[in-house]
Amino acid sequence: MSGQAPGRPRLVDRLAGRKRPDPADEVDAIAAVTERLAVLLAAGVPAPSAWSNVGADSISGADADVLAVAATAARLGDPVAPAIVDSLPARPEASAAWPVLAAAWGVAAESGAPLAGSLRELAAVLRDEAQLRREVRAALAGPAASARLVMALPAIAVLFGATLGFDTLGVLFGNPIGLACLALGLASLWGGHRWNLALAARAGRSRVDAGLELELLAIAMSSGSSIDRARALTRDTIVRFVPHAGDGAEVDAVLGLAARAGAPVAELLRAEAFRLRRAARSAGVERAAALGVRLMLPLGLCVLPAFVLLGVAPLMISVVTGTLGGAR
């Protein structure tokens, strides 16, 4: 459920020219829900009441449906985390941050860790991810606009030829060679468009669950649980709710370091989680910055040939046929 590429559909839609909300909004909305839950629980509000009132005016659509499912589960005394995750397949438009909130809630509830403090820490993590998405979106804006402009060049060439008095449209639709140019040109445009979308999707891919297992283990240990029990609970939660968050190798490395150095495990876990989130942010910004260069490939191999086939070749054919016709 969390294996989806958060932010990918919206970034692709932006390159395709379709208007979509800020890709950080979906994460920010869940961060706001998380913060409100923390405040209400710290004030002594029971969990069912907190879930019922926390997001009435802050989220809508599929996210509001998921929140209603969580509130119903809390009111009935059922586990909230499984209810959230089980409701997501039927709501593909819901935020990718829901499994992260569900995992944190499940670990805190089962380990007996302070829910309010755990949710405050999770909200900070989600805000950090939302900021990463904004930075990546800003870095992608220029290349995406350039790609849309370049894709329009063949159409501009056709209109330019017609404006100058050449029968480019007649050649494209009424001449066998023109029809071949039209077919090849449109195929090249389609290929370049799909290639652009794939490059943008790869550049805009981000992970809302970076460092999550480390954070969850720190939450579990804040309850006073032993390392072994907290580790087992965290791994089970990751496998159930956020299966693509990692294989636990980072956790094992931190635990090994703590055992060798005798350092506080929770602090090391949070420091490593912070490092992983910063690394994810840097990688995302670097991919976005490199997109402008990578877009030169579909430009050179697809769009420019389409420009020649749809704009230049019909013009030349029109000139040649007009000259030969005049000579006769």
Side-chain angles (χ1 to χ4, degrees):
M1 276 152 282
S2 65
Q4 61 186 308
R8 177 179 179 271
R10 287 167 176 78
L11 287 167
V12 170
D13 286 326
R14 288 184 67 82
L15 184 57
R18 297 190 292 269
K19 186 174 178 58
R20 289 285 184 171
D22 184 337
D25 280 352
E26 64 172 28
V27 179
D28 253 342
I30 308 307
V33 168
T34 306
E35 287 172 339
R36 292 182 180 185
L37 281 171
V39 171
L40 293 175
L41 292 172
V45 177
S49 180
W51 277 109
S52 297
N53 297 288
V54 74
D57 59 346
S58 63
I59 60 175
S60 58
D63 289 329
D65 295 339
V66 176
L67 183 59
V69 169
T72 300
R75 186 174 63 253
L76 296 176
D78 297 331
V80 173
I84 291 174
V85 175
D86 291 344
S87 71
L88 294 177
R91 299 169 178 85
E93 294 300 317
S95 171
W98 277 114
V100 176
L101 174 55
W105 183 276
V107 166
E110 192 165 341
S111 67
L115 274 171
S118 301
L119 293 177
R120 281 197 181 95
E121 292 164 2
L122 177 64
V125 172
L126 294 177
R127 293 292 189 197
D128 198 48
E129 168 64 17
Q131 182 60 29
L132 164 62
R133 293 188 176 202
R134 289 193 178 95
E135 291 175 3
V136 171
R137 185 192 61 164
L140 283 173
S146 299
R148 289 195 296 270
L149 177 61
V150 168
M151 291 295 294
L153 285 178
I156 294 173
V158 171
L159 293 177
F160 184 71
T163 302
L164 292 178
F166 297 101
D167 189 21
T168 53
L169 292 176
V171 170
L172 283 174
F173 291 97
N175 184 293
I177 299 177
L179 287 173
C181 290
L182 178 64
L184 291 174
L186 291 178
S188 296
L189 272 182
W190 182 84
H193 179 65
R194 299 298 301 177
W195 197 348
N196 282 340
L197 295 183
L199 289 174
R202 193 174 300 116
R205 189 172 294 125
S206 63
R207 286 183 53 199
V208 73
D209 52 29
L212 176 62
E213 188 166 1
L214 296 155
E215 292 284 355
L216 294 182
L217 183 55
I219 289 172
M221 294 188 64
S222 68
S223 67
S225 300
S226 66
I227 292 179
D228 291 340
R229 181 178 182 277
R231 181 76 177 92
L233 172 60
T234 301
R235 183 97 286 269
D236 180 64
T237 300
I238 289 291
V239 171
R240 290 175 61 199
F241 299 153
V242 201
H244 295 86
D247 58 3
E250 298 94 348
V251 172
D252 293 335
V254 172
L255 293 179
L257 172 61
R260 292 192 301 271
V265 178
E267 292 301 319
L268 285 175
L269 289 169
R270 290 197 169 95
E272 181 65 11
F274 182 82
R275 184 191 70 79
L276 290 175
R277 290 195 299 273
R278 284 295 177 269
R281 171 179 297 211
S282 298
V285 173
E286 287 173 6
R287 287 194 304 270
L291 179 62
V293 177
R294 294 194 176 115
L295 286 176
M296 294 299 102
L297 290 173
L299 169 63
L301 298 178
C302 296
V303 179
L304 290 183
F307 175 79
V308 172
L309 289 167
L310 297 176
V312 178
L315 188 148
M316 298 301 297
I317 294 171
S318 176
V319 171
V320 171
T321 55
T323 301
L324 292 178
R328 292 194 191 113

Short mmCIF file of all heavy atoms in Angstrom, two decimals, residues 119-157:
data_model
loop_
_atom_site.label_atom_id
_atom_site.label_comp_id
_atom_site.label_asym_id
_atom_site.label_seq_id
_atom_site.Cartn_x
_atom_site.Cartn_y
_atom_site.Cartn_z
N LEU A 119 3.26 11.29 18.39
CA LEU A 119 2.62 11.93 17.24
C LEU A 119 3.26 13.28 16.91
O LEU A 119 3.33 13.66 15.75
CB LEU A 119 1.13 12.09 17.51
CG LEU A 119 0.33 10.79 17.60
CD1 LEU A 119 -1.13 11.08 17.95
CD2 LEU A 119 0.41 10.01 16.29
N ARG A 120 3.71 13.99 17.93
CA ARG A 120 4.41 15.25 17.65
C ARG A 120 5.68 15.01 16.84
O ARG A 120 5.99 15.75 15.89
CB ARG A 120 4.76 15.96 18.97
CG ARG A 120 3.60 16.69 19.61
CD ARG A 120 4.08 17.69 20.65
NE ARG A 120 2.95 18.38 21.26
CZ ARG A 120 2.37 18.00 22.40
NH1 ARG A 120 2.83 16.93 23.04
NH2 ARG A 120 1.37 18.69 22.89
N GLU A 121 6.42 13.97 17.21
CA GLU A 121 7.64 13.65 16.46
C GLU A 121 7.31 13.23 15.04
O GLU A 121 8.00 13.62 14.08
CB GLU A 121 8.40 12.55 17.19
CG GLU A 121 8.98 12.99 18.53
CD GLU A 121 9.40 11.83 19.40
OE1 GLU A 121 9.27 10.67 18.93
OE2 GLU A 121 9.85 12.06 20.53
N LEU A 122 6.25 12.45 14.87
CA LEU A 122 5.85 12.03 13.53
C LEU A 122 5.41 13.22 12.68
O LEU A 122 5.72 13.30 11.49
CB LEU A 122 4.72 11.01 13.62
CG LEU A 122 4.17 10.54 12.26
CD1 LEU A 122 5.23 9.81 11.46
CD2 LEU A 122 2.94 9.66 12.45
N ALA A 123 4.69 14.16 13.29
CA ALA A 123 4.25 15.34 12.54
C ALA A 123 5.44 16.12 12.01
O ALA A 123 5.42 16.62 10.87
CB ALA A 123 3.39 16.24 13.43
N ALA A 124 6.51 16.22 12.81
CA ALA A 124 7.72 16.91 12.34
C ALA A 124 8.32 16.18 11.14
O ALA A 124 8.80 16.81 10.18
CB ALA A 124 8.73 17.01 13.48
N VAL A 125 8.30 14.85 11.17
CA VAL A 125 8.82 14.06 10.06
C VAL A 125 8.00 14.32 8.80
O VAL A 125 8.54 14.51 7.70
CB VAL A 125 8.81 12.56 10.42
CG1 VAL A 125 9.15 11.71 9.19
CG2 VAL A 125 9.80 12.28 11.54
N LEU A 126 6.68 14.36 8.92
CA LEU A 126 5.82 14.58 7.77
C LEU A 126 5.98 15.99 7.21
O LEU A 126 5.94 16.20 5.99
CB LEU A 126 4.36 14.32 8.14
CG LEU A 126 4.02 12.86 8.50
CD1 LEU A 126 2.56 12.74 8.93
CD2 LEU A 126 4.32 11.93 7.34
N ARG A 127 6.14 16.97 8.08
CA ARG A 127 6.38 18.33 7.61
C ARG A 127 7.68 18.40 6.80
O ARG A 127 7.78 19.11 5.80
CB ARG A 127 6.48 19.29 8.79
CG ARG A 127 5.18 19.49 9.56
CD ARG A 127 4.14 20.22 8.76
NE ARG A 127 2.99 20.57 9.58
CZ ARG A 127 1.82 20.92 9.09
NH1 ARG A 127 1.61 20.96 7.79
NH2 ARG A 127 0.82 21.23 9.90
N ASP A 128 8.68 17.65 7.25
CA ASP A 128 9.96 17.62 6.54
C ASP A 128 9.78 17.03 5.15
O ASP A 128 10.34 17.53 4.17
CB ASP A 128 10.96 16.80 7.36
CG ASP A 128 12.40 17.07 6.95
OD1 ASP A 128 12.76 18.25 6.85
OD2 ASP A 128 13.15 16.09 6.74
N GLU A 129 8.99 15.97 5.04
CA GLU A 129 8.72 15.36 3.73
C GLU A 129 7.95 16.32 2.83
O GLU A 129 8.22 16.41 1.63
CB GLU A 129 7.94 14.06 3.92
CG GLU A 129 7.36 13.48 2.64
CD GLU A 129 8.40 13.05 1.64
OE1 GLU A 129 9.58 12.88 2.04
OE2 GLU A 129 8.06 12.88 0.45
N ALA A 130 7.00 17.05 3.40
CA ALA A 130 6.25 18.02 2.60
C ALA A 130 7.17 19.10 2.05
O ALA A 130 7.03 19.53 0.90
CB ALA A 130 5.14 18.64 3.45
N GLN A 131 8.13 19.54 2.86
CA GLN A 131 9.08 20.55 2.39
C GLN A 131 9.94 20.00 1.26
O GLN A 131 10.23 20.71 0.29
CB GLN A 131 9.96 21.01 3.56
CG GLN A 131 10.96 22.09 3.18
CD GLN A 131 10.29 23.35 2.66
OE1 GLN A 131 9.16 23.66 3.03
NE2 GLN A 131 10.99 24.08 1.80
N LEU A 132 10.36 18.73 1.37
CA LEU A 132 11.12 18.11 0.29
C LEU A 132 10.32 18.13 -1.00
O LEU A 132 10.84 18.47 -2.07
CB LEU A 132 11.47 16.67 0.68
CG LEU A 132 11.93 15.76 -0.47
CD1 LEU A 132 13.21 16.29 -1.09
CD2 LEU A 132 12.13 14.34 0.02
N ARG A 133 9.04 17.80 -0.93
CA ARG A 133 8.22 17.78 -2.15
C ARG A 133 8.10 19.17 -2.76
O ARG A 133 8.09 19.31 -3.99
CB ARG A 133 6.83 17.22 -1.83
CG ARG A 133 6.88 15.75 -1.44
CD ARG A 133 5.49 15.18 -1.32
NE ARG A 133 5.55 13.75 -1.04
CZ ARG A 133 4.57 12.92 -1.28
NH1 ARG A 133 3.44 13.36 -1.79
NH2 ARG A 133 4.69 11.64 -0.99
N ARG A 134 8.03 20.19 -1.92
CA ARG A 134 7.97 21.56 -2.46
C ARG A 134 9.28 21.92 -3.16
O ARG A 134 9.27 22.56 -4.22
CB ARG A 134 7.67 22.54 -1.34
CG ARG A 134 6.25 22.43 -0.80
CD ARG A 134 5.88 23.60 0.08
NE ARG A 134 4.50 23.47 0.51
CZ ARG A 134 4.11 22.92 1.66
NH1 ARG A 134 5.04 22.47 2.50
NH2 ARG A 134 2.84 22.82 1.98
N GLU A 135 10.39 21.53 -2.58
CA GLU A 135 11.68 21.84 -3.20
C GLU A 135 11.83 21.11 -4.54
O GLU A 135 12.31 21.69 -5.52
CB GLU A 135 12.81 21.44 -2.25
CG GLU A 135 12.89 22.32 -1.01
CD GLU A 135 13.95 21.83 -0.03
OE1 GLU A 135 14.65 20.85 -0.34
OE2 GLU A 135 14.07 22.43 1.06
N VAL A 136 11.42 19.85 -4.57
CA VAL A 136 11.50 19.09 -5.82
C VAL A 136 10.57 19.68 -6.87
O VAL A 136 10.91 19.81 -8.04
CB VAL A 136 11.18 17.61 -5.56
CG1 VAL A 136 11.04 16.85 -6.88
CG2 VAL A 136 12.26 16.97 -4.71
N ARG A 137 9.35 20.06 -6.46
CA ARG A 137 8.41 20.66 -7.40
C ARG A 137 8.97 21.95 -7.98
O ARG A 137 8.86 22.21 -9.19
CB ARG A 137 7.08 20.95 -6.72
CG ARG A 137 6.01 21.46 -7.68
CD ARG A 137 4.82 22.01 -6.94
NE ARG A 137 5.18 23.13 -6.10
CZ ARG A 137 4.31 23.99 -5.58
NH1 ARG A 137 3.03 23.81 -5.80
NH2 ARG A 137 4.70 24.99 -4.83
N ALA A 138 9.60 22.77 -7.13
CA ALA A 138 10.18 24.02 -7.62
C ALA A 138 11.30 23.75 -8.61
O ALA A 138 11.43 24.43 -9.64
CB ALA A 138 10.69 24.84 -6.44
N ALA A 139 12.13 22.73 -8.32
CA ALA A 139 13.23 22.40 -9.22
C ALA A 139 12.72 21.82 -10.53
O ALA A 139 13.36 21.97 -11.58
CB ALA A 139 14.18 21.42 -8.55
N LEU A 140 11.57 21.15 -10.52
CA LEU A 140 11.01 20.55 -11.72
C LEU A 140 10.24 21.54 -12.59
O LEU A 140 9.96 21.25 -13.75
CB LEU A 140 10.08 19.39 -11.34
CG LEU A 140 10.73 18.07 -10.93
CD1 LEU A 140 9.65 17.11 -10.44
CD2 LEU A 140 11.48 17.45 -12.09
N ALA A 141 9.87 22.68 -12.03
CA ALA A 141 8.99 23.59 -12.75
C ALA A 141 9.60 24.05 -14.07
O ALA A 141 8.94 24.06 -15.11
CB ALA A 141 8.65 24.80 -11.86
N GLY A 142 10.89 24.44 -14.04
CA GLY A 142 11.55 24.91 -15.25
C GLY A 142 11.65 23.84 -16.32
O GLY A 142 11.20 24.05 -17.47
N PRO A 143 12.23 22.66 -16.01
CA PRO A 143 12.30 21.61 -17.02
C PRO A 143 10.94 21.17 -17.56
O PRO A 143 10.79 20.89 -18.74
CB PRO A 143 12.99 20.46 -16.27
CG PRO A 143 13.78 21.12 -15.21
CD PRO A 143 12.99 22.32 -14.80
N ALA A 144 9.92 21.12 -16.69
CA ALA A 144 8.60 20.71 -17.14
C ALA A 144 8.02 21.72 -18.13
O ALA A 144 7.43 21.35 -19.15
CB ALA A 144 7.67 20.55 -15.95
N ALA A 145 8.19 23.02 -17.84
CA ALA A 145 7.70 24.05 -18.76
C ALA A 145 8.45 24.00 -20.08
O ALA A 145 7.85 24.14 -21.16
CB ALA A 145 7.84 25.43 -18.11
N SER A 146 9.76 23.76 -20.03
CA SER A 146 10.55 23.66 -21.26
C SER A 146 10.10 22.47 -22.10
O SER A 146 10.01 22.56 -23.32
CB SER A 146 12.04 23.52 -20.91
OG SER A 146 12.50 24.65 -20.19
N ALA A 147 9.81 21.35 -21.44
CA ALA A 147 9.37 20.16 -22.17
C ALA A 147 8.05 20.42 -22.88
O ALA A 147 7.86 20.02 -24.04
CB ALA A 147 9.24 18.98 -21.22
N ARG A 148 7.12 21.10 -22.22
CA ARG A 148 5.84 21.40 -22.86
C ARG A 148 6.02 22.32 -24.06
O ARG A 148 5.37 22.16 -25.09
CB ARG A 148 4.87 22.03 -21.84
CG ARG A 148 4.37 21.06 -20.79
CD ARG A 148 3.16 21.61 -20.06
NE ARG A 148 3.49 22.81 -19.31
CZ ARG A 148 3.90 22.82 -18.05
NH1 ARG A 148 4.05 21.67 -17.40
NH2 ARG A 148 4.16 23.95 -17.43
N LEU A 149 6.91 23.29 -23.92
CA LEU A 149 7.15 24.21 -25.03
C LEU A 149 7.78 23.50 -26.22
O LEU A 149 7.37 23.70 -27.37
CB LEU A 149 8.06 25.35 -24.55
CG LEU A 149 8.47 26.38 -25.62
CD1 LEU A 149 7.23 27.08 -26.16
CD2 LEU A 149 9.45 27.39 -25.05
N VAL A 150 8.76 22.65 -25.94
CA VAL A 150 9.43 21.94 -27.02
C VAL A 150 8.46 21.00 -27.74
O VAL A 150 8.53 20.86 -28.96
CB VAL A 150 10.64 21.17 -26.46
CG1 VAL A 150 11.18 20.18 -27.49
CG2 VAL A 150 11.74 22.14 -26.04
N MET A 151 7.56 20.37 -27.00
CA MET A 151 6.60 19.46 -27.63
C MET A 151 5.68 20.19 -28.59
O MET A 151 5.08 19.58 -29.48
CB MET A 151 5.77 18.76 -26.54
CG MET A 151 6.54 17.78 -25.69
SD MET A 151 7.14 16.35 -26.61
CE MET A 151 5.61 15.56 -27.06
N ALA A 152 5.53 21.51 -28.44
CA ALA A 152 4.66 22.29 -29.32
C ALA A 152 5.36 22.73 -30.60
O ALA A 152 4.70 23.26 -31.51
CB ALA A 152 4.12 23.52 -28.58
N LEU A 153 6.66 22.54 -30.71
CA LEU A 153 7.41 23.03 -31.87
C LEU A 153 6.90 22.47 -33.20
O LEU A 153 6.77 23.22 -34.18
CB LEU A 153 8.90 22.73 -31.70
CG LEU A 153 9.66 23.62 -30.70
CD1 LEU A 153 11.11 23.18 -30.61
CD2 LEU A 153 9.57 25.08 -31.11
N PRO A 154 6.63 21.16 -33.32
CA PRO A 154 6.14 20.66 -34.63
C PRO A 154 4.85 21.33 -35.07
O PRO A 154 4.69 21.67 -36.25
CB PRO A 154 5.95 19.16 -34.37
CG PRO A 154 6.92 18.84 -33.28
CD PRO A 154 6.91 20.05 -32.40
N ALA A 155 3.90 21.53 -34.13
CA ALA A 155 2.66 22.20 -34.48
C ALA A 155 2.91 23.63 -34.91
O ALA A 155 2.29 24.14 -35.87
CB ALA A 155 1.69 22.15 -33.30
N ILE A 156 3.82 24.30 -34.22
CA ILE A 156 4.17 25.68 -34.60
C ILE A 156 4.77 25.70 -36.00
O ILE A 156 4.48 26.60 -36.81
CB ILE A 156 5.15 26.27 -33.57
CG1 ILE A 156 4.45 26.42 -32.22
CG2 ILE A 156 5.70 27.60 -34.04
CD1 ILE A 156 5.37 26.85 -31.10
N ALA A 157 5.61 24.71 -36.33
CA ALA A 157 6.22 24.66 -37.66
C ALA A 157 5.17 24.49 -38.75
O ALA A 157 5.24 25.12 -39.82
CB ALA A 157 7.23 23.52 -37.71
#
